[in-house]
Amino acid sequence: MTKEALMLEAKKAREHAYAPYSHFQVGAALVTKSGKIYHGCNIENAAYSPTNCAERTAFFRAIYEGEREFEKIAIAGGPEGSEADELCAPCGVCRQVMMEFCNPETFQIILADGKGKCMQRTLKELLPYGFGPENLK
């Protein structure tokens, strides 16, 4: 699947966001090694800390289904009712969840705005000194 097609999947997932407080909607499309796509959206909570990001929603859905090997994720986010005008990078907590389940050298993170700008980086590039399962051996 091309990064453009995957980004369209992330934009579709964004439409399901529950963001009544920030009005900032995020969607994610996570691809497993077998090519299956898991979608996620941000889900806010009035107490704020129970809020869940789109990336973690996609990962948790996939993990619940038994998936453990991941290839890439596309993330699209921006103000409610409009296309994103900037790239929407995953937060630190989401990067840490990715570190738990992905090879930081090969896992790809794709970001795009609504104007055609696109960036693709490895998890290691976005989390250069990540803490993962290998650190506990």
Side-chain angles (χ1 to χ4, degrees):
M1 173 174 276
T2 67
K3 63 183 173 185
E4 293 80 15
L6 189 59
M7 188 53 65
L8 286 176
E9 292 295 319
K11 287 180 179 181
K12 285 184 208 172
R14 184 176 174 235
E15 295 171 9
H16 297 277
Y18 177 74
Y21 308 108
S22 73
H23 302 284
F24 192 87
Q25 298 174 309
V26 182
L30 174 64
V31 181
T32 67
K33 292 270 184 181
S34 66
K36 188 168 181 183
I37 299 173
Y38 287 88
H39 298 88
C41 64
N42 59 318
I43 303 167
E44 293 183 349
N45 188 285
Y48 293 114
S49 63
T51 294
N52 202 57
C53 297
E55 302 89 343
R56 283 182 282 146
T57 300
F59 268 94
F60 297 162
R61 289 178 75 184
I63 291 160
Y64 174 80
E65 295 289 328
E67 298 286 353
R68 296 294 186 275
E69 296 183 330
F70 304 99
E71 186 176 296
K72 57 188 165 186
I73 191 169
I75 305 163
E80 181 179 7
S82 67
E83 286 287 337
D85 58 356
E86 294 183 17
L87 300 177
C88 181
C91 75
V93 174
C94 288
R95 293 176 201 196
Q96 186 60 47
V97 168
M98 292 175 196
M99 188 73 183
E100 182 71 21
F101 295 100
C102 304
N103 179 333
E105 302 281 342
T106 60
F107 184 74
Q108 297 291 310
I109 300 168
I110 303 163
L111 312 173
D113 64 12
K115 302 175 193 170
K117 182 179 178 184
C118 186
M119 180 177 83
Q120 184 169 335
R121 299 287 187 268
T122 64
L123 176 56
K124 185 172 184 175
E125 289 174 305
L126 293 185
L127 187 65
Y129 299 101
F131 186 88
E134 294 298 315
N135 296 102
L136 297 176
K137 292 183 178 179

